[in-house]
Amino acid sequence: MTLTRRGLLAGAAALGAGALLPTTATAAPAGFPDYRYQRLALVKSKLRYNPTGELIFPCVRGTKGRIPNALAAYYLYYAPHDAPGGICLAYANSLDEEFTEYAGNPIIKNSWPGEYSVSHVSSPHALWNDDVNRIYLYFHGENTVTRLASSADGIHFTYEKEVLSTRLQPAGTTETSYARVFRQDLPAKNARYVMVFMLNNTTNHRDIGWGWSPDALNWTFSQTPLVRHTDVGANDIGGPHLLYRNNSTYVVYNTDIAHGGKLMITEVGNDFSKRNHLGVFHTPLAGAPDNGRSAAPSFGTYQGREYMIYEAGERLAGNIAIARAV
């Protein structure tokens, strides 16, 4: 498996019995492919740790050449959202088999003695940091704080610090969560990493925020959104992910289900100076597993084909699905 420049490795599992036949969304802009649903990555009924019956925010990383004696070739990080949440791990040796739940889940709980005690932790995003040869795992808990833990083996983590909170955004900010971090050079800002995240305030309309860092540890944040919900005619947008194509950078994000539950795409450019809103990137299936909502996408390539692994289904009732480019 090969990582794209901005890509996430994608995971998959066997297609569940009785699932709908795959269908294809309308063509995505900017030369990106259509993605067709293939299978679920996890079967919720088989999970030992499944406190709320809902799974969100997938992130898959390859272990080859990075984690000696890994459990398998691919690690999938995911979480329930509702309390108590909990960052979870599953693993597989190929993308054509059901992922196996790690027996010790959750690997990060809603209480870390000496560091925090919150109602829930969720939304894991794993970045392999080549600068330190460790996995940096970003997660939220509460929704006002994004935190960072690091690990050499992808299982046992050391708490690092809070990296983002509402106090680092303008007055009236109520949520700073669902963050993903990418390796991206921004010379004008002396930065080598970019974070995108969901931003909410007292108007209760969610936007996409962003920040930059020299080391993926210490961050500076824009005081204005990267993409506003009004830019795309939605009440809320979230689950952002960066993509790179056509020598430019794009952000893909989901809309609320009342406004289509679709994935949208905006070109921001390699220096994040553009705001070229390109419209619909992916339309969810009306039936299972999407049930009108696709969210929190991540992307990668495997044997020359492009994949999207995403949160499928109604909020707080979803699962993790895998789609492949057609």
Side-chain angles (χ1 to χ4, degrees):
M1 173 171 278
T2 303
L3 276 171
T4 58
R5 180 178 169 192
R6 303 289 184 267
L8 282 176
L9 299 181
L15 180 63
L20 296 180
L21 291 176
T23 59
T24 303
T26 54
F32 290 97
D34 295 327
Y35 291 94
R36 177 179 294 173
Y37 168 70
Q38 299 295 305
R39 56 183 60 85
L40 296 175
L42 294 164
V43 178
K44 289 191 287 185
S45 63
K46 295 182 179 180
L47 299 178
R48 182 196 63 82
Y49 184 78
N50 186 19
T52 60
E54 40 89 21
L55 305 176
I56 69 167
F57 220 79
C59 183
V60 180
R61 283 288 178 253
T63 62
K64 184 178 179 180
R66 291 174 169 171
I67 300 176
N69 303 312
L71 297 173
Y74 312 112
Y75 282 1
L76 165 63
Y77 298 93
Y78 64 97
H81 181 272
D82 273 5
I87 308 305
C88 296
L89 172 68
Y91 53 91
N93 278 318
S94 86
L95 302 184
D96 297 314
E97 63 187 75
E98 184 179 319
F99 276 75
T100 298
E101 180 188 17
Y102 176 62
N105 282 338
I107 58 173
I108 295 177
K109 299 180 180 180
N110 64 336
S111 178
W112 199 314
E115 302 295 350
Y116 63 77
S117 180
V118 294
S119 71
H120 74 288
V121 291
S122 194
S123 70
H125 174 82
L127 167 79
W128 181 261
N129 189 331
D130 288 311
D131 296 336
V132 294
N133 291 321
R134 293 177 70 83
I135 286 180
Y136 273 20
L137 187 69
Y138 302 84
F139 60 99
H140 81 251
E142 308 288 352
N143 286 68
T144 56
V145 177
T146 294
R147 305 176 185 276
L148 172 62
S150 71
S151 172
D153 65 6
I155 300 173
H156 304 94
F157 283 85
T158 299
Y159 188 75
E160 296 286 350
K161 60 186 292 188
E162 294 182 11
V163 293
L164 170 62
S165 71
T166 52
R167 62 184 172 78
L168 299 177
Q169 290 289 293
T173 300
T174 59
E175 294 179 80
T176 48
S177 50
Y178 300 96
R180 294 195 190 273
V181 174
F182 303 87
R183 178 75 175 84
Q184 172 106 8
D185 289 325
L186 293 176
K189 297 182 180 295
N190 295 315
R192 302 174 65 242
Y193 298 88
V194 167
M195 178 188 293
V196 287
F197 58 94
M198 188 197 74
L199 178 68
N200 194 12
N201 59 36
T202 52
T203 68
N204 203 29
H205 291 289
R206 291 165 178 84
D207 299 321
I208 304 302
W210 75 294
W212 53 91
S213 171
D215 55 10
L217 183 65
N218 301 290
W219 293 86
T220 301
F221 296 100
S222 173
Q223 299 300 290
T224 57
L226 181 67
V227 183
R228 301 177 187 272
H229 67 281
T230 52
D231 295 337
V232 294
N235 281 340
D236 299 289
I237 57 177
H241 191 292
L242 294 187
L243 291 174
Y244 183 81
R245 189 164 295 213
N246 310 320
N247 196 33
S248 190
T249 302
Y250 303 78
V251 59
V252 176
Y253 47 92
N254 55 266
T255 63
D256 58 284
I257 198 167
H259 288 79
K262 300 175 180 178
L263 300 180
M264 311 296 286
I265 182 170
T266 295
E267 182 183 11
V268 295
N270 294 336
D271 62 358
F272 282 60
S273 64
K274 294 183 178 181
R275 298 295 183 271
N276 185 14
H277 305 297
L278 298 173
V280 176
F281 180 86
H282 178 80
T283 301
L285 300 175
D290 296 7
N291 296 317
R293 179 178 180 268
S294 299
S298 56
F299 301 87
T301 60
Y302 172 59
Q303 295 184 343
R305 299 194 70 171
E306 297 183 68
Y307 287 78
M308 178 174 75
I309 184 170
Y310 65 100
E311 181 183 322
E314 302 95 328
R315 177 167 168 74
L316 305 185
N319 205 337
I320 296 168
I322 184 76
R324 189 172 65 193
V326 295

